[in-house]
């Protein structure tokens, strides 16, 4: 039976839709940290396109470069052809990001999403080492395609695969045992024990802060020990910086805090700058064993993203202003969350780094209730974690202090209502 419902989203769009359920409004325009619905109601955005809008909605500096490029008939779809926009981006990425950090990476343009760069990283690690198995971590999230899903923890998402997800073995993420068990005790043991049943891994894939997994923050010393272990055993280290890269935790790459150099790095989300799809896979020069066209994709050359990406790197990463302000704003949220945690001791705790901060509810359903109340008051915030027990804040890095205060006041009020 044909059902021409008046609500086209319900009648025509698949049941798979998700954010539109938690935020039941029809959005029309956006600027900076604000997004407006079709009735003219403004919402403060503490989610920033799940970390794709680190520089805010319709950032004017990026917009003006994009508009000029489009008006000038610049290449829009470029396959992986050499273009002026791609050259400008590569040169800027080299000068502003790689060189100052002493990183001698080659740059691959995979398909333009996070899961695409993860697939490229896993494939490359397997090709380089000739091994198939990958080590991932508890509560990891790496994407929805089969390879990325195989190294993702969430059981609901994994079940969606419909086939066995193989060749990945989970290890405990930092603090999985609340500090009771020595870091990497299990990992080392199974690596060394020829009876453990663990196939020698090609690579380890890790997020320095697990965003979807509940804002689980790996300590720098844990990351260093992981990097050392990988180097010792000739296992490649992949850092998935899709959500935590591009300044989310302060520095451009989230692993900089640990002083490590991963073998492979995955970037997407905010690397395009403007919220346009784009991804990069970076790897040490000697790992570039790809044959021409061996890993392909029609949308690897989304040139308008290259334009906004380049301008964002020039504008925000020529000095450490953004890095510092991200840490300061992160501290502000941390303080506000700590006050709430003290006020509702036993029901709440907090964790995060830079501008990814989580408010963790002992009763998981309270996190969702807080987000719902916040939405009613004009604030977009989302939950994360295995039981959706964490209110996760990912505001634009360009958010003002007044905007932060405004949103934090809404959250404090909502938390008070839910927890009292
Ligand atoms: C760490 C990480 N990796 C990969 C992905 C997948 O990115 P995408 O949804 O663009 O495929 C995400 C998405 O949230 C992510 O947070």
């Amino acid at each position: 039976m044909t059902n021409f419902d008046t609500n086209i989203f319900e009648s025509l769009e698949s049941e798979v839709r998700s954010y539109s359920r938690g935020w039941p409004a029809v959005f029309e325009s956006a600027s900076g940290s604000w997004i407006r619905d079709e009735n003219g109601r403004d919402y403060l955005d503490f989610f920033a396109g799940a970390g794709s809008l680190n520089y805010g909605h319709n950032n004017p500096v990026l917009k003006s470069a994009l508009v000029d490029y489009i008006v000038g008939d610049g290449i829009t779809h470029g396959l992986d052809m050499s273009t002026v926009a791609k050259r400008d981006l590569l040169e800027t990425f080299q000068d502003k990001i790689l060189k100052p950090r002493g990183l001698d990476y080659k740059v691959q343009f995979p398909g333009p999403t996070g899961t695409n760069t993860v697939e490229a990283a896993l494939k490359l690690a397997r090709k380089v080492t000739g091994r198939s198995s990958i080590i991932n971590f508890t509560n990891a999230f790496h994407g929805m395609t089969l390879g990325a899903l195989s190294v993702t923890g969430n059981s609901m998402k994994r079940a969606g695969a419909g086939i066995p997800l193989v060749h990945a073995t989970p290890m405990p993420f930092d603090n999985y045992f609340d500090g009771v068990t020595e870091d990497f005790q299990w990992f080392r043991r199974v690596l060394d024990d020829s009876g453990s049943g663990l196939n020698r891994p090609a690579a380890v894939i890790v997020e320095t802060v697990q965003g979807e997994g509940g804002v689980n923050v790996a300590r720098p010393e844990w990351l260093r020990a992981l990097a050392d272990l990988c180097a010792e055993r000739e296992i490649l280290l992949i850092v998935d910086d899709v959500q935590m890269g591009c300044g989310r935790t302060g520095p451009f790459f989230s692993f900089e805090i640990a002083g490590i150099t991963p073998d492979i790095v995955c970037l997407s989300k905010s690397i395009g700058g403007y919220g346009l799809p784009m991804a990069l896979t970076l790897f040490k020069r000697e790992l570039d064993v790809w044959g021409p066209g061996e890993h392909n994709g029609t949308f690897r050359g989304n040139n308008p993203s290259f334009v906004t990406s380049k301008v964002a790197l020039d504008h925000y990463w020529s000095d450490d202003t953004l890095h510092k302000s991200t840490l300061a704003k992160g501290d502000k949220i941390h303080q506000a969350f700590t006050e709430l945690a003290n006020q509702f001791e036993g029901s709440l705790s907090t964790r995060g780094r830079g501008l990814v901060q989580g408010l963790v509810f002992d009763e998981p359903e309270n996190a969702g209730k807080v987000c719902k109340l916040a939405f009613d008051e004009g604030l977009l915030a989302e939950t994360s974690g295995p039981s959706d027990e964490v209110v996760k804040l990912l505001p634009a890095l360009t958010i003002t202090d007044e905007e932060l205060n405004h949103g934090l006041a809404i959250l404090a009020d909502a938390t008070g209502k839910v927890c009292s």
Side-chain angles (χ1 to χ4, degrees):
M1 195 179 70
T2 314
N3 178 13
F4 292 114
D5 198 312
T6 47
N7 183 342
I8 192 81
F9 302 108
E10 279 176 21
S11 65
L12 196 59
E13 193 182 355
S14 161
E15 294 303 316
V16 79
R17 65 193 188 279
S18 61
Y19 293 116
S20 58
R21 298 172 191 271
W23 298 328
V26 179
F27 297 100
E28 192 164 34
S29 61
S31 176
S33 288
W34 293 89
I35 179 162
R36 180 170 291 178
D37 75 12
E38 62 182 351
N39 299 319
R41 181 162 193 217
D42 287 322
Y43 298 80
L44 182 60
D45 185 358
F46 268 14
F47 194 55
S52 305
L53 293 163
N54 281 5
Y55 314 111
H57 290 271
N58 293 316
N59 181 299
V61 180
L62 311 187
K63 179 165 61 181
S64 130
L66 181 61
V67 168
D68 288 350
Y69 185 74
I70 292 171
V71 169
D73 276 345
I75 301 284
T76 293
H77 180 101
L79 294 167
D80 72 350
M81 294 184 290
S82 298
T83 62
V84 172
K86 192 197 270 189
R87 179 171 58 208
D88 289 350
L89 168 64
L90 284 169
E91 285 173 356
T92 306
F93 193 69
Q94 179 167 266
D95 292 347
K96 295 282 156 68
I97 303 299
L98 297 180
K99 270 193 186 158
R101 291 164 180 80
L103 295 170
D104 188 19
Y105 286 141
K106 292 289 287 289
V107 177
Q108 178 180 356
F109 293 87
T113 69
T115 204
N116 286 138
T117 173
V118 169
E119 293 293 340
L122 298 177
K123 257 192 187 178
L124 185 67
R126 287 175 169 138
K127 185 172 162 71
V128 167
T129 60
R131 300 173 220 142
S132 57
S133 120
I134 306 283
I135 299 293
N136 60 325
F137 288 98
T138 48
N139 288 304
F141 184 84
H142 297 290
M144 289 288 104
T145 50
L146 291 180
L149 200 51
S150 74
V151 287
T152 287
N154 185 294
S155 53
M156 185 269 273
K157 305 259 196 262
R158 288 177 69 86
I163 55 164
L165 294 169
V166 292
H167 306 305
T169 308
M171 291 290 155
F173 191 71
D174 191 12
N175 210 27
Y176 194 63
F177 295 110
D178 300 324
V180 173
T181 303
E182 193 192 319
D183 300 335
F184 303 112
Q185 186 181 7
W186 170 248
F187 191 5
R188 275 182 191 282
R189 184 72 177 264
V190 291
L191 274 175
D192 290 342
D193 180 358
S194 60
S196 72
L198 182 79
N199 293 326
R200 190 150 175 248
V204 168
I205 184 163
V206 68
E207 300 151 273
T208 63
V209 178
Q210 296 181 322
E212 301 304 299
V215 192
N216 304 315
V217 183
R219 291 163 299 147
E221 55 271 33
W222 186 86
L223 290 166
R224 276 193 291 277
L226 176 64
D228 288 348
L229 182 57
C230 287
E232 207 177 277
R233 307 305 169 92
E234 296 181 340
I235 301 167
L236 297 174
L237 177 63
I238 305 169
V239 169
D240 178 349
D241 235 2
V242 165
Q243 190 166 136
M244 296 305 148
C246 305
R248 174 55 55 190
T249 66
F252 185 83
F253 294 109
S254 70
F255 54 81
E256 287 177 53
I257 192 173
I260 60 171
T261 304
D263 297 293
I264 305 179
V265 181
C266 299
L267 286 178
S268 183
K269 293 198 189 261
S270 278
I271 188 62
Y274 200 66
L276 295 171
M278 181 178 154
L280 298 178
T281 315
L282 315 175
F283 35 82
K284 288 183 176 164
R285 199 160 279 275
E286 63 273 20
L287 301 182
D288 194 6
V289 297
W290 289 120
E294 193 178 1
H295 185 75
N296 228 321
T298 308
F299 286 104
R300 287 171 300 147
N302 186 15
N303 279 248
S305 321
F306 301 165
V307 171
T308 49
S309 178
K310 178 221 157 24
V311 177
L313 297 178
D314 267 337
H315 193 76
Y316 291 106
W317 295 101
S318 292
D319 61 28
D320 61 3
T321 311
L322 185 70
H323 178 163
K324 285 187 174 151
S325 77
T326 297
L327 296 183
K329 288 170 193 168
D331 280 349
K332 196 181 195 29
I333 303 179
H334 180 71
Q335 273 174 24
F337 278 3
T338 305
E339 277 169 29
L340 281 176
N342 291 339
Q343 199 181 334
F344 299 102
E345 217 185 319
S347 326
L348 281 182
S349 56
T350 182
R351 55 190 182 229
R353 175 175 288 150
L355 272 175
V356 49
Q357 296 287 335
L359 191 58
V360 190
F361 289 77
D362 276 19
E363 286 180 37
E365 63 278 8
N366 283 346
K369 287 184 190 162
V370 165
C371 288
K372 174 155 188 346
L373 283 177
F375 176 79
D376 293 343
E377 294 305 314
L379 180 79
L380 304 189
E382 244 300 37
T383 59
S384 77
S387 309
D388 286 324
E389 73 280 22
V390 182
V391 173
K392 177 176 79 163
L393 300 197
L394 288 177
L397 310 184
T398 51
I399 194 165
T400 65
D401 281 345
E402 293 76 47
E403 289 165 340
L404 260 189
N405 289 340
H406 176 69
L408 289 172
I410 293 176
L411 280 177
D413 196 47
T415 305
K417 284 188 181 132
V418 169
C419 290
S420 300

